[in-house]
């Protein structure tokens, strides 16, 4: 009998180092590159200057940090960005819309 078992971590074998996808490495590399560029351009006199310089590295590093369900964190980040970057115009029609229109007609 030929019975094959599929290991529980078979999908991890498709990842780079078993943890990262290509997009993760591109994002992390961009953060490192931007940080190195900022280190060459900006003066490093105070602690605040260093914090500003290392911000791209810290943000990109936290985005690709291999935590459980980090794809869910990607989705959350995308939704938060979409919420704050798009215009928000809400059209609300609740249960009292008919009541408000009737009250306006009665007031006339």
């Amino acid at each position: 009998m030929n019975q094959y078992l599929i290991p529980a971590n078979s999908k991890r074998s498709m990842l780079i180092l078993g943890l990262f996808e290509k997009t993760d490495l591109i994002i992390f590399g961009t953060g490192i590159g931007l940080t190195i560029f900022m280190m060459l351009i900006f003066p490093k006199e105070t602690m605040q200057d260093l914090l500003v310089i290392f911000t791209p590295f810290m943000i990109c590093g936290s985005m690709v940090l291999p935590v459980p369900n980090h794809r869910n964190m990607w989705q959350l980040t995308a939704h938060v960005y979409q919420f704050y970057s798009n215009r928000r115009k809400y059209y609300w029609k609740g249960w009292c819309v008919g009541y408000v229109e009737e009250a306006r007609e009665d007031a006339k």
Side-chain angles (χ1 to χ4, degrees):
M1 290 179 78
N2 291 331
Q3 292 182 348
Y4 297 101
L5 294 176
I6 299 172
N9 61 355
S10 63
K11 289 197 177 218
R12 290 184 69 174
S13 65
M14 296 187 302
L15 301 174
I16 299 169
L17 299 176
L19 297 172
F20 304 106
E21 291 183 356
K22 288 180 185 177
T23 55
D24 295 337
L25 295 180
I26 291 171
I27 290 170
F28 191 61
T30 303
I32 289 174
L34 191 58
T35 300
I36 291 172
F37 176 73
M38 291 174 70
M39 287 177 74
L40 296 173
I41 301 298
F42 294 118
K44 300 168 277 300
E45 297 173 357
T46 64
M47 192 63 151
Q48 286 83 12
D49 294 339
L50 288 174
L51 188 63
V52 169
I53 289 171
F54 282 103
T55 299
F57 171 73
M58 291 185 293
I59 290 173
C60 292
S62 65
M63 288 177 72
V64 300
L65 190 68
V67 296
N69 302 319
H70 79 283
R71 297 290 166 217
N72 294 342
M73 294 305 295
W74 270 103
Q75 287 295 323
L76 175 67
T77 305
H79 288 302
V80 168
Y81 174 75
Q82 182 181 10
F83 177 78
Y84 285 114
S85 64
N86 293 336
R87 289 180 61 192
R88 293 181 295 280
K89 191 171 195 179
Y90 301 109
Y91 298 100
W92 181 77
K93 268 189 149 175
W95 57 270
C96 62
V97 172
Y99 174 74
V100 172
E101 290 173 359
E102 290 172 7
R104 286 183 188 162
E105 290 174 7
D106 292 340
K108 290 182 182 181

